Amino acid sequence: MFVIYLLIGFLATFAGAMAGLSGGVILKPVLDFFGHYDLASIGVLSGACVLAMSSVSLISSNKQGQQVKRVQSFLIAIGSVIGGTLGKSIFNRIFTSVQLSQHVGWIQSSLLIVILVIIFIFIKYRQNFKTYQIKHPLVILMVGLTLGLAAAFLGIGGGPLNVAILSWLFSMDAKAAALNSIFIIFFAQLSGMLVVFFTTDVSDYHLTMLPVMIVGGITGGLLGSRLRIWLTVRHVELIFNTLIVGIIFLNAYNLLVYAGLAN
């Protein structure tokens, strides 16, 4: 089991670091699929692994001379921290409610499918959509808040949403969006983890696999970020779209499981 979860953490963050997906959007449905942990524990395992990945990925990218768009990404990151804190708080409140907790799984999977389909269509046919160059600080801050809120509630780290929004509202290509997405993810996940550890009882979570998943996240983040510099924009787009399609199908299966239509 330790080897399996080490590989899960590594492969998810390796692919996520290359495409700016954070790994969380991969980890969440994969951990759902295995069914070994409740949703609250999955959120912590995924969040900690993604935080480890984004940390080492940013350090590695900086050493390679890759730079984020500091003003835009920093404002989005601040908004993501606020939104991520609110989103995680909302999730914790819902999960502790007996009446609502049983519905969280299928709600998350359903929303993820819809969001990912929209993102796939946008990235695949981006040339047909008008893109923008938003510069107003307050608007950028609100964009970050919305991203952080959605990502924290869905437990996905925000990667695909970040990439799509950065491409749409800030006219970034796939490689630039991937790097800036990782920058935003770092702050959003950091705030989310702080909320969890300071507002809930950690002993309520099942975190046996946390150390090995963090090791996998660090390794995957390092290798993925180093490989990204050699990839073309087209390669990053191809990896992104392939992963999105796979995640959509995995979430569809998880939704059937939650609905009791699959074993």
Side-chain angles (χ1 to χ4, degrees):
M1 292 300 294
F2 283 98
V3 175
I4 290 174
Y5 277 88
L6 177 66
L7 288 173
I8 290 173
F10 169 76
L11 293 174
T13 54
F14 174 70
M18 286 191 293
L21 289 178
S22 85
V25 72
I26 305 171
L27 285 169
K28 167 53 172 70
V30 169
L31 293 176
D32 274 348
F33 174 78
F34 277 90
H36 295 154
Y37 296 101
D38 58 77
L39 288 172
S41 298
I42 287 174
V44 176
L45 290 169
S46 175
C49 188
V50 169
L51 180 60
M53 179 277 292
S54 59
S55 302
V56 298
S57 181
L58 286 175
I59 293 171
S60 177
S61 297
N62 186 61
K63 288 181 178 180
Q64 295 167 9
Q66 296 175 290
Q67 299 294 325
V68 299
K69 293 193 174 182
R70 295 188 182 278
V71 176
Q72 292 174 339
S73 293
F74 189 68
L75 285 172
I76 297 175
I78 293 174
S80 293
V81 169
I82 299 171
T85 303
L86 290 173
K88 185 60 72 174
S89 298
I90 292 171
F91 176 83
N92 289 339
R93 284 179 176 271
I94 292 176
F95 196 81
T96 54
S97 170
V98 177
Q99 292 81 9
L100 296 175
S101 61
Q102 58 184 327
H103 302 296
V104 172
W106 72 262
I107 291 173
Q108 284 183 322
S109 294
S110 300
L111 288 174
L112 270 174
I113 291 171
V114 173
I115 291 170
L116 291 173
V117 168
I118 293 172
I119 290 171
F120 174 80
I121 293 172
F122 171 74
I123 297 296
K124 182 73 173 176
Y125 302 102
R126 180 166 46 186
Q127 67 276 8
N128 298 321
F129 292 89
K130 182 179 179 180
T131 59
Y132 302 88
Q133 282 280 8
I134 292 179
K135 296 181 179 179
H136 195 291
L138 184 58
V139 176
I140 297 174
L141 195 67
M142 292 305 297
V143 168
L145 190 148
T146 304
L147 288 173
L149 181 66
F153 178 77
L154 295 173
I156 60 173
L161 277 172
N162 293 344
V163 171
I165 293 299
L166 289 170
S167 300
W168 179 38
L169 298 181
F170 303 98
S171 299
M172 294 185 191
D173 62 38
K175 287 189 72 171
L179 176 59
N180 284 271
S181 173
I182 297 296
F183 180 79
I184 296 164
I185 288 163
F186 169 77
F187 288 98
Q189 287 302 312
L190 179 61
S191 66
M193 288 296 97
L194 290 175
V195 169
V196 168
F197 285 105
F198 284 106
T199 64
T200 62
D201 186 355
V202 180
S203 63
D204 291 338
Y205 301 105
H206 304 286
L207 305 176
T208 308
M209 296 297 171
L210 183 59
V212 295
M213 290 193 68
I214 289 177
V215 171
I218 291 173
T219 309
L222 280 173
L223 293 179
S225 60
R226 290 184 178 182
L227 182 58
R228 186 179 59 232
I229 195 173
W230 301 106
L231 299 175
T232 65
V233 171
R234 176 58 184 157
H235 288 148
V236 174
E237 289 180 348
L238 180 61
I239 294 170
F240 183 93
N241 288 332
T242 301
L243 288 171
I244 290 295
V245 171
I247 297 164
I248 288 172
F249 281 106
L250 186 53
N251 274 289
Y253 175 81
N254 289 336
L255 180 59
L256 292 176
V257 172
Y258 284 121
L261 299 177
N263 294 323

